[in-house]
Amino acid sequence: MPNVTFDQRSVRLDGKPVPIICGAIHYARSTPGMWPELLRASVEAGINTIDTYVFWGLHEREKRRYDFTGRLDLAYFLSLCQQHKLNVLLRIGPYICAETNFGGLPPWLIHEPGLVTRTDNAAWKREVLTWCKVLMAQIGEFQATRGGPVILAQLENEYNTVAKHYGADGPKYMDWVIASAKEMGLEVPLVMCEAPGDNKLELHDASLPRIIKGMNGFAIADRVPEFQRQFPAAPPIWTEAWGGWYTNFGDVTHFREDADFACAIAHFFAVGGAGVSYYMWHGGTNFGRESVYMQTTTYDSNAPLDEYGLPQRAFAHLKRLNHIVADHAEVLLEGTRSVQVLEAPREKEPLPRAAIYSCAKGTRTLAFLINESGQPYTMKSGALSIALKSKSCAITLDLNGDTRVLFESHPATAEAAIQPPPAAQWAASNVELNFVAFDEPLPDEQPTKFSNAIAMSEPRSMLPHTRDLSDYGWYQTVLSSATDRDATVVLPEVHDFSTLYLNGKFVGSQPERLNEDPKIFAKHTYNVRLKKGENRISILASALGLIKGDWAYNEPMSKERKGVIGAMLVDGMPQSLWWTLHAGLFGERARLFAPDTSDLAAWQAGPLTPRRLRWYRAKFKTPDSLLKARALALDVGALYKGLIWLNGECLGRYWQIPATDYVAEWMRGMTQTYGAGQPVQQRYHIPKDWLRAENTLVVLEETEAFPRGVKLLERAV
């Protein structure tokens, strides 16, 4: 069993310096059938460590009911890592962000009495400790101290982004996290990425695991000098190297030029970096309702291994770089360092704009030729003269006076134009999908045995009642009018969508699109025609994922809410009315998505007229061609917004709203984009290990869209 230590230059296993060449693969975003090939391809590409978050919110969807099966079988995933001789950075959190629902926390925490998330709060700390002990009982044996692959563990995540919300309680909480590591059962050194700069991470009880403060970003070489001054006893670790960005419904797709990414990685190692984690190496899929607020099912993130686990354009380029770092680790991590400055830094710049960084040991010298100057440069390495484009680099090896080029981030043969990743080649399968339909009833039309009405004096968050096990909730009330008249109805706060029915007739749905700031579209206004007497108002609230961090509302995550909130206004006047809330949909409670559920619904075949809120079902057999395909997906055709299930497993949410060309100001220059005017995602991942001999595909469509053009796709390459 290796002894894991670290010094200012590197992480060491049994005293040997090891560069951390880490690929982020989240076990819950793929399936056990995919794991062996994902890990094999990672080894091929020079990855020596797998980085995975732990998804508390999935393992404990309901309080004290734990799930470690299927794609949540973390122990099996870790055992496969060990079989492939891969180390593991286990990012426990328990808050992980990760663009996963509620930042990876279980939503039932919202309703625990007195609980405030991510601060010095007794109820929160009690739940964290309870969960971590359960987790470590499952996977503690996989720590390196016991002969397993886990060499590093992370607690909390990017706390510097929220510390200001908690004042003096923030540092107290971070101290507690560190002090509790041993009680949780952690025995390996800790990583704390983007922890607050003023938190004294290295001044704790010597019996506790030592701590490395990790850094995240698109390019962080310029942060290394300050890191080395602040933490002279720890190696610089790039815990998240962003090679792209995640995708939201209604936004353009982001990608990063492969050469630019490789140059940033090389620059980091050139200035003293000891380890990097590609975030993501394999992005995978947000199955079910697991994506964060607004986010698509795909978590591709321009990863070298795409959503389906297949190599993309960046794979070969980064593979070469990874193997160079691994092959020359001894020189890089133990050699004598020197720098030749060719162009000095400008004011407030920590690094030269052009320089040659060298590491020498014995007869070998590894040189990184870095050009960040904004203009072409020709640099000499040994007898070689190497022309470098602006914002590019090269790596050379001098062995006994013989110099050769090992790597160029921007080879001269590469195309000058920046191109998005090439489109995958998909073909329609020979599977025929014949849909039947069932209309989701309004609350008044549902069978009495499925009624779950909750009375309330005014609308409030539906999360205490849905427990986030459904996106949907029906709010109903009766509004009296003395005459037939037009009126303006205002819902002062809605998260995220509302659809209003008046006396059983559809009025409208809002908003057309969302924004990452959940407060922007929270006020919904409807113009209605009231009749004399009583008017039944039915409002379907629909959520699109929970927030991922405290900054969404500038308050603790435990304040999260969904649905209709606050007194309804009619012509500007607040109404004092009694309301009922029905949590979830009839079709969900009747499990219409499950193939082995007896039919509680009268499915209709044949031509259908437009109708909102409709379930569609198609049954099909699995031909051999599907099993032979390298990847499978569902093209949603003319469907617009809803959810998809295959054999009872939820493939995720879909929403075919066209993308705008908006890019956040801070992102400009970091990535390139494409896809404006088109739905950001048309295909939805079908894992082959979810297929059966006979399959049931179920769709819940929220709008009047029909399943025209829905088809199963096969990918050969």
Side-chain angles (χ1 to χ4, degrees), residues 530-601:
L530 299 176
K531 67 178 183 180
K532 181 179 179 179
E534 293 187 341
N535 294 266
R536 170 71 70 178
I537 293 179
S538 304
I539 302 166
L540 178 64
S542 172
L544 198 72
L546 304 187
I547 58 171
K548 66 176 180 178
D550 311 55
W551 57 88
Y553 294 119
N554 289 320
E555 58 187 6
M557 294 175 65
S558 41
K559 300 291 186 181
E560 169 70 304
R561 53 267 193 191
K562 290 294 178 185
V564 182
I565 300 166
M568 180 178 72
L569 282 71
V570 178
D571 293 333
M573 299 297 294
Q575 303 296 302
S576 180
L577 303 168
W578 275 98
W579 292 76
T580 57
L581 170 65
H582 298 254
L585 299 178
F586 166 81
E588 293 175 304
R589 295 192 294 278
R591 293 183 56 79
L592 298 186
F593 51 81
D596 52 357
T597 299
S598 59
D599 277 342
L600 297 173

Side-chain angles (χ1 to χ4, degrees), residues 395-447:
I395 304 174
T396 65
L397 175 66
D398 185 286
L399 183 60
N400 292 317
D402 181 22
T403 304
R404 60 190 177 96
V405 176
L406 298 181
F407 181 80
E408 291 180 90
S409 66
H410 295 67
T413 56
E415 293 183 28
I418 297 174
Q419 300 292 335
Q425 300 301 306
W426 294 91
S429 71
N430 58 5
V431 172
E432 187 175 353
L433 297 175
N434 295 309
F435 286 95
V436 294
F438 173 77
D439 293 342
E440 172 71 25
L442 297 180
D444 295 340
E445 302 165 351
Q446 295 180 12

Side-chain angles (χ1 to χ4, degrees), residues 472 497 542 612-614 641-642 654 700-704:
Y472 305 99
F497 297 93
S542 172
R612 301 182 70 87
L613 272 184
R614 179 173 278 160
K641 184 177 182 296
Y654 66 91
L700 170 63
E701 171 59 49
E702 296 179 21
T703 75
E704 295 180 349

Side-chain angles (χ1 to χ4, degrees), residues 657-677:
I657 186 169
T660 69
D661 59 1
Y662 170 78
V663 178
E665 188 62 35
W666 78 272
M667 285 281 289
R668 297 183 187 275
M670 302 291 186
T671 62
Q672 311 296 322
T673 62
Y674 65 93

Side-chain angles (χ1 to χ4, degrees), residues 378-558:
T378 297
M379 299 187 187
K380 289 187 67 67
S381 182
L384 299 178
S385 292
I386 301 170
L388 294 177
K389 299 177 181 179
S390 171
K391 306 291 183 180
S392 72
C393 73
I395 304 174
T396 65
L397 175 66
D398 185 286
L399 183 60
N400 292 317
D402 181 22
T403 304
R404 60 190 177 96
V405 176
L406 298 181
F407 181 80
E408 291 180 90
S409 66
H410 295 67
T413 56
E415 293 183 28
I418 297 174
Q419 300 292 335
Q425 300 301 306
W426 294 91
S429 71
N430 58 5
V431 172
E432 187 175 353
L433 297 175
N434 295 309
F435 286 95
V436 294
F438 173 77
D439 293 342
E440 172 71 25
L442 297 180
D444 295 340
E445 302 165 351
Q446 295 180 12
T448 304
K449 69 175 182 176
F450 284 98
S451 178
N452 62 348
I454 301 137
M456 53 185 64
S457 58
E458 70 175 33
R460 59 176 182 261
S461 175
M462 65 186 184
L463 284 178
H465 310 289
T466 66
R467 298 281 169 160
D468 196 45
L469 299 175
S470 171
D471 281 345
Y472 305 99
W474 283 104
Y475 293 81
Q476 283 197 312
T477 192
V478 173
L479 178 65
S480 296
S481 178
T483 62
D484 293 344
R485 65 187 182 93
D486 294 326
T488 299
V489 170
V490 174
L491 309 177
E493 183 179 347
V494 179
H495 306 277
D496 302 316
F497 297 93
S498 68
T499 301
L500 191 143
Y501 292 80
L502 179 63
N503 299 320
K505 302 295 184 183
F506 170 73
V507 174
S509 185
Q510 294 183 35
E512 179 183 351
R513 60 176 64 241
L514 294 175
N515 185 280
E516 275 205 285
D517 182 344
K519 302 180 290 294
I520 286 182
F521 297 112
K523 180 180 177 181
H524 296 182
T525 302
Y526 292 95
N527 295 317
V528 301
R529 178 69 180 177
L530 299 176
K531 67 178 183 180
K532 181 179 179 179
E534 293 187 341
N535 294 266
R536 170 71 70 178
I537 293 179
S538 304
I539 302 166
L540 178 64
S542 172
L544 198 72
L546 304 187
I547 58 171
K548 66 176 180 178
D550 311 55
W551 57 88
Y553 294 119
N554 289 320
E555 58 187 6
M557 294 175 65
S558 41

Side-chain angles (χ1 to χ4, degrees), residues 575-651:
Q575 303 296 302
S576 180
L577 303 168
W578 275 98
W579 292 76
T580 57
L581 170 65
H582 298 254
L585 299 178
F586 166 81
E588 293 175 304
R589 295 192 294 278
R591 293 183 56 79
L592 298 186
F593 51 81
D596 52 357
T597 299
S598 59
D599 277 342
L600 297 173
W603 294 91
Q604 310 167 51
L608 298 168
T609 57
R611 203 268 193 185
R612 301 182 70 87
L613 272 184
R614 179 173 278 160
W615 296 81
Y616 294 99
R617 186 180 73 181
K619 294 182 178 288
F620 66 93
K621 295 184 177 181
T622 301
D624 289 343
S625 62
L626 288 186
L627 299 178
K628 294 176 181 176
R630 295 193 71 192
L632 301 174
L634 184 76
D635 185 326
V636 297
L639 291 170
Y640 187 71
K641 184 177 182 296
L643 287 157
I644 311 167
W645 290 264
L646 177 68
N647 298 327
E649 298 279 3
C650 188
L651 298 179

